[in-house]
Amino acid sequence: MSEAIPAAAIVDPAELGDKPVRAREVWRSLTRDPAALISIIVLVLLALIALAAPLLSPHDPLQTFPDQGLGPQGQPLPPGTPGFLLGTDALGRDLLSRLIYGAQVSLIIGIVANGLATAFGVLVGVVAGYFGGVVEAVLMRITDVVISFPILLLCTALIAVTTRSTFNVIIVIALIYWTTLARIIRGMVVSLKEREFVVASRTLGLSHRAIMWRHILPHLVPAIIVYTTLGVASSILIESALSFLGIGVPIPQASWGQMISDGSTYFQIAPWMLFIPGICLIVTVMAFNLVGDWLSDMLNSSTPTAR
Amino acid sequence: MSTSLLEVNDLEVTFRRSAGPGRKAASVPAVRGVSFQLEAGTTLGIAGESGSGKSTIARTLMGINTPSGGSMNLNGEDVTGLKGRRLAEYRQTMQMIFQDPYDSLDPRMTVSQTLLEAIKLRKTNKPVSPMAEVHELLDKVGLSRSFASRKPRELSGGQRQRVSIARALSVDPRLILCDEAVSALDVSVRAQVLNLLKDLQEELGLAYLFISHDLSTLRFMADYVGIMYLGKIVELGTRDEIFDRPQHPYTRALLSAVPEPLVIDRTVRLPRVRLTGEPPSSTNPPSGCSFHPRCPLAQDVCRTVSPAARPTASGQVAACHFADPELVVAEA
């Protein structure tokens, strides 16, 4: 008979609902929102390009071509030059290759940094909201302190005391971006924990950890998905800003912010050096934002728990 | 020692509100010295207006709120202020059915997931075959086994409440606290759920603490009835004592407010007592008898002296200076 229901099913917080219905709903809502559909396609393509960077890029992104890569006066070559599809930069490096590897850096930083920030923010928010009292007061005051700093200033200060590396950029961004989510999640948990089904599981003797894991976290998933998606965009932007200021990923590694920074110096003779990475950055950030908006609309309208 | 399943003595619960922008610190005495006993297999009904402290009693018994005074004894053991594992164990002797059937089940879990979770938490008599127990529980509450795989949103209010009952039963409680458990249901469904609760009581020897503002529900369910006003039990007696020979003017007022056909045949027709005004603020209860500002019988003594609960000639206990049978007869 229905003995088939596995015991593990109880603890699976990922089970959001009836899957078949969901897939159809998702598709229907996507067809109603072409901007989101295009954004998803753009992001998938971008991810594939970043993953296949070694296969796709025509040159080594770090290699300079002092002879073929620069014009007679040593100026960067414009897009369309044979061998250099998007032209070269001031050191005679292939712009397309740098752009492709830059996508890798941007996505890794955006996703990893933001993933860490999300995990930390959710943890702080759930613990503060669930336990309340002193725990909440301490955690939320720390959050307030971090929020009150200007982001760029704090990043600069933190990086100034460490060495310049991609890893450190990720950690610094994660250390700053958990705060907003922590606040949002705390607010949701405060109201969730008074819901009767949570009180009921307490009276049954379920442990605090199990309640948070099984009865609270699953209800936060829609919000987490939305804010994480939006957060990736801001993490990519802040990385670019840091690289632009010369404190992001270390030179000579390619990153879009770094390329924009280089390009701004040569704007008058080689505007493509600025525009090409700039357009990539804008498109990517916009795509993440559009997908985030769409997710928020979809999850909020179809989630049965939204009451 | 007494043999009562549950004995509550002088229970007090006070909520404190700390000062904040634009408000002063305040303490709200929600329950002010409540005592009662509950025998195994019987039902104590508690009635009263909103804010009279009915739900606070249930929540305190379950350890959700902390008492500020008094004691609670379960099976002769003092369970006031238990913490951690002891609290978890003691809670399983007692379970609660909540008011809102649309909020008391996790919307993301199927019925069987909800019940399995509860069954696996049982401290005594560890389950051998949990899924078989789920089916057994569904049988007990009159739901077909096909409900096991459904989500709460596919169920009606009455069905959800049955699942809540099944969940409460899954840990083998001796006592179930029903906090307005049928108030949110349609009248026809309400009758079915009440009958189910009665059948389960007979079958399993359960005791109920049945909280309701609906007197006709209590008349049907309860063996004993306590009437609460502003955090105190003002009258406590058997069902017939309370419904047929109410002594406290507040009880009489409540009974007068019930549409007549439902309160059944009365041998003695009681005078109608109409309540006026709002219940006073519990932050600042009136001096003397809390009920005096609204009481038709109030005298000077009521404004200064708080009446002690004392037995009356007709059997029940009432906290009123003028609760004695002669008075009622004289008025009738």
Side-chain angles (χ1 to χ4, degrees):
Chain A
M1 274 185 48
S2 32
E3 292 282 344
I5 296 172
I10 325 167
V11 286
D12 182 12
E15 206 194 49
L16 287 179
D18 310 313
K19 296 268 160 54
V21 182
R22 288 242 147 190
R24 218 180 312 137
E25 268 173 24
V26 168
W27 178 245
R28 201 179 309 140
S29 128
L30 260 185
T31 52
R32 276 197 303 260
D33 191 349
L37 186 60
I38 293 168
S39 300
I40 288 178
I41 294 170
V42 165
L43 292 180
V44 168
L45 278 177
L46 193 69
L48 289 177
I49 288 171
L51 279 173
L55 303 173
L56 290 177
S57 58
H59 301 287
D60 181 341
L62 305 182
Q63 192 187 353
T64 57
F65 295 91
D67 301 326
Q68 319 100 288
L70 292 171
Q73 280 94 43
Q75 81 274 33
L77 296 175
T81 315
F84 303 101
L85 195 59
L86 292 181
T88 59
D89 70 1
L91 297 176
R93 292 177 294 198
D94 179 39
L95 219 53
L96 179 60
S97 306
R98 289 183 70 70
L99 204 61
I100 291 172
Y101 275 91
Q104 222 177 23
V105 170
S106 287
L107 282 186
I108 287 177
I109 291 185
I111 290 167
V112 175
N114 199 59
L116 288 175
T118 301
F120 195 55
V122 170
L123 182 72
V124 169
V126 169
V127 169
Y130 184 82
F131 289 107
V134 182
V135 179
E136 179 180 27
V138 170
L139 287 175
M140 294 328 284
R141 289 305 79 74
I142 294 175
T143 311
D144 289 347
V145 167
V146 177
I147 284 183
S148 65
F149 278 103
I151 291 174
L152 217 47
L153 186 68
L154 191 56
C155 284
T156 315
L158 284 172
I159 287 178
V161 300
T162 58
T163 51
R164 204 176 149 183
S165 74
T166 308
F167 177 77
N168 282 343
V169 171
I170 289 176
I171 296 298
V172 164
I173 294 175
L175 278 179
I176 287 161
Y177 267 104
W178 59 272
T179 49
T180 322
L181 193 60
R183 273 195 175 172
I184 292 163
I185 294 292
R186 186 204 69 98
M188 294 178 71
V189 172
V190 165
S191 75
L192 262 176
K193 74 169 177 183
E194 295 301 327
R195 296 275 296 272
E196 284 182 353
F197 64 86
V198 176
V199 178
S201 48
R202 257 170 79 195
T203 62
L204 281 165
L206 202 61
S207 69
H208 291 309
R209 210 180 53 185
I211 291 175
M212 286 188 266
W213 194 245
R214 291 187 214 166
H215 293 291
I216 290 190
L217 200 56
H219 294 268
L220 303 174
V221 168
I224 295 174
I225 291 177
V226 170
Y227 285 101
T228 307
T229 316
L230 296 173
V232 171
S234 9
S235 300
I236 290 178
L237 270 182
I238 197 86
E239 181 276 321
S240 298
L242 290 176
S243 291
F244 183 84
L245 293 175
I247 51 175
V249 295
I251 304 171
Q253 208 182 340
S255 105
W256 291 349
Q258 185 70 56
M259 292 169 74
I260 293 171
S261 169
D262 291 349
S264 65
T265 321
Y266 298 94
F267 179 61
Q268 303 220 319
I269 57 162
W272 61 89
M273 276 178 64
L274 176 66
F275 282 130
I276 290 171
I279 289 167
C280 288
L281 184 66
I282 291 170
V283 168
T284 308
V285 168
M286 242 178 81
F288 271 111
N289 278 317
L290 287 170
V291 172
D293 283 347
W294 164 73
L295 277 172
S296 143
D297 287 350
M298 184 189 65
L299 293 172
N300 286 337
S301 62
S302 71
T303 310
T305 49
R307 300 184 30 181
Chain B
M1 282 298 288
S2 113
T3 52
S4 299
L5 176 65
L6 175 71
E7 206 180 308
V8 172
N9 291 315
D10 252 339
L11 187 72
E12 287 183 22
V13 185
T14 304
F15 294 117
R16 274 172 225 296
R17 196 181 64 182
S18 52
R23 59 170 203 206
K24 286 182 179 154
S27 67
V28 183
V31 176
R32 304 186 293 154
V34 162
S35 305
F36 59 84
Q37 292 176 8
L38 183 54
E39 312 293 332
T42 64
T43 301
L44 170 64
I46 292 194
E49 285 167 309
S50 309
S52 60
K54 309 179 299 257
S55 296
T56 307
I57 291 183
R59 292 174 66 91
T60 308
L61 285 168
M62 287 312 301
I64 300 167
N65 296 335
T66 324
S68 46
S71 68
M72 310 182 289
N73 290 285
L74 194 68
N75 284 326
E77 189 190 349
D78 189 358
V79 293
T80 324
L82 283 188
K83 284 204 167 68
R85 266 201 30 218
R86 296 281 314 283
L87 175 64
E89 274 174 29
Y90 139 74
R91 272 175 176 169
Q92 296 204 338
T93 317
M94 205 146 71
Q95 277 299 302
M96 187 156 170
I97 299 169
F98 294 87
Q99 175 170 15
D100 184 356
Y102 291 88
D103 202 43
S104 55
L105 300 173
D106 191 330
R108 289 181 188 272
M109 287 188 164
T110 64
V111 169
S112 67
Q113 286 171 344
T114 296
L115 294 181
L116 280 173
E117 180 181 85
I119 289 168
K120 289 181 179 172
L121 286 168
R122 194 169 62 214
K123 308 277 183 224
T124 53
N125 186 15
K126 282 285 179 192
V128 192
S129 160
M131 204 56 215
E133 281 200 35
V134 168
H135 290 151
E136 227 172 84
L137 283 169
L138 288 176
D139 291 346
K140 257 185 202 162
V141 297
L143 289 175
S144 98
R145 291 177 180 193
S146 63
F147 279 93
S149 55
R150 302 220 195 149
K151 291 259 167 92
R153 66 164 177 273
E154 302 166 59
L155 307 182
S156 71
Q159 289 164 344
R160 287 171 194 234
Q161 213 56 323
R162 285 171 191 264
V163 176
S164 294
I165 295 170
R167 176 177 59 188
L169 292 177
S170 61
V171 291
D172 279 344
R174 305 311 315 143
L175 168 62
I176 294 187
L177 311 177
C178 306
D179 185 5
E180 302 278 9
V182 294
S183 308
L185 303 177
D186 292 346
V187 178
S188 57
V189 180
R190 181 182 303 180
Q192 292 169 14
V193 172
L194 289 175
N195 280 320
L196 170 67
L197 286 171
K198 275 210 149 180
D199 293 345
L200 288 170
Q201 178 166 48
E202 229 161 85
E203 189 187 329
L204 306 169
L206 293 170
Y208 293 129
L209 182 68
F210 205 94
I211 292 168
S212 179
H213 61 266
D214 179 23
L215 290 169
S216 28
T217 300
L218 288 187
R219 184 169 184 121
F220 177 74
M221 279 303 287
D223 303 306
Y224 302 91
V225 176
I227 305 289
M228 282 195 79
Y229 188 76
L230 223 60
K232 285 186 174 175
I233 291 186
V234 294
E235 188 162 4
L236 179 65
T238 64
R239 178 186 58 185
D240 293 342
E241 285 162 3
I242 299 292
F243 280 90
D244 296 341
R245 298 180 292 280
Q247 294 298 320
H248 197 282
Y250 179 63
T251 312
R252 277 186 258 152
L254 279 187
L255 287 171
S256 305
V258 178
E260 201 57 42
L262 291 181
V263 181
I264 341 256
D265 50 329
R266 274 228 191 85
T267 39
V268 190
R269 272 190 73 82
L270 293 164
R272 279 196 161 275
V273 181
R274 195 162 294 156
L275 272 191
T276 52
E278 295 292 313
S281 141
S282 49
T283 322
N284 187 17
S287 63
C289 174
S290 306
F291 189 55
H292 83 254
R294 300 166 80 192
C295 181
L297 307 177
Q299 305 287 322
D300 282 345
V301 62
C302 303
R303 287 181 252 281
T304 49
V305 183
S306 176
R310 58 193 170 86
T312 61
S314 53
Q316 70 266 45
V317 171
C320 176
H321 293 301
F322 302 104
D324 60 70
E326 287 82 3
L327 197 74
V328 177
V329 172
E331 265 190 322

